[in-house]
Amino acid sequence: MSIVDTVPPELATGLLADIYGSDAHALGYVPSHSLVMGLRPEAYAAWRALQQAIAGSLGQRRYELVTLAAAQALGSRACLLAHVNKSLGFMGEEQLVRLMRNYRDAGLSASEVAMMDFAAKLSRNAAAMDDADSVSLRRAGFSDTEIVDVTLAAAARNYFSKALQALAVEVDVPPGLSPAMLLAVNETLAAQEPATGTPTDVE
């Protein structure tokens, strides 16, 4: 749990109150990451605007798939749970469970697998990437603008996930996720343990 003191929703004013309000409307609660990042509401609002700009160009489905691949590679429990929950809006639970266990064998298109591979490599070792990685996306049918979009989506997830990890922000489990979905999330995180440390199980 993060040591930083946060502003409770009932005491929030101005932009912070707006941020909390949008969360409460969309989720039914104010998540821990908003409480912590809300200490700098202007920066947090800019982050949200960046997300929207990237997703608006890339498309919500592609944005979420790239985000899931990056969150998996980073071992980010908070981001993985949040975006698994969002992905249920366009993907059935059975397919999403398969995706958590092995996105290359989850019934995705070849182009979707290619962009998830790209996002995972960026998240694990961006310094090792070169033109061949971008060429792999071009061969999968992505335009140059879309290649930049995929890169921005994955890099943006690295920024936010690492900030949450560094501040030890409490992980919220979205209500309504099934035991099978939570188990799949646990399994994919456990597979990352050698590189990312040992996460505790999701309850």
Side-chain angles (χ1 to χ4, degrees):
M1 183 178 294
S2 181
I3 65 167
V4 302
D5 293 326
T6 61
V7 179
E10 63 271 17
L11 297 181
T13 60
L15 178 58
L16 182 57
D18 293 340
I19 290 171
Y20 285 176
S22 67
D23 281 339
H25 177 74
L27 303 172
Y29 64 97
V30 179
S32 298
H33 62 260
S34 287
L35 293 171
V36 174
M37 296 304 171
L39 290 176
R40 285 293 183 215
E42 294 81 8
Y44 190 35
W47 155 249
R48 290 187 165 189
L50 176 63
Q51 282 184 292
Q52 292 170 0
I54 298 169
S57 178
L58 187 58
Q60 196 64 42
R61 178 184 172 92
R62 283 180 166 182
Y63 178 82
E64 293 298 338
L65 291 175
V66 169
T67 296
L68 288 174
Q72 280 183 311
L74 293 163
S76 174
R77 183 177 300 279
C79 291
L80 201 54
L81 284 168
H83 288 274
V84 157
N85 193 45
K86 290 184 178 182
S87 296
L88 286 169
F90 62 80
M91 183 180 296
E93 182 180 286
E94 182 179 350
Q95 186 180 20
L96 192 53
V97 167
R98 289 173 59 197
L99 186 150
M100 284 294 98
R101 292 176 173 150
N102 181 2
Y103 63 79
R104 297 185 185 91
D105 185 30
L108 301 179
S109 68
S111 63
E112 289 172 337
V113 171
M115 71 181 185
M116 292 183 78
D117 281 341
F118 184 96
K121 184 173 181 180
L122 182 155
S123 301
R124 292 192 179 104
N125 189 6
M129 300 180 80
D130 56 27
D131 285 345
D133 297 289
S134 296
V135 168
S136 70
L137 291 183
R138 183 178 284 169
R139 287 175 176 166
F142 291 88
S143 69
D144 287 358
T145 300
E146 289 171 329
I147 291 170
V148 172
D149 286 337
V150 170
T151 304
L152 288 175
R157 184 51 42 190
N158 275 252
Y159 153 73
F160 199 67
S161 292
K162 290 184 178 183
L164 298 186
Q165 290 170 331
L167 291 169
V169 175
E170 184 176 356
V171 175
D172 296 307
V173 179
L177 289 183
S178 73
M181 194 73 257
L182 293 175
L183 178 61
V185 169
N186 276 338
E187 289 174 347
T188 195
L189 289 167
Q192 305 301 322
E193 285 182 17
T196 61
T198 304
T200 56
D201 285 346
V202 174
E203 297 297 333

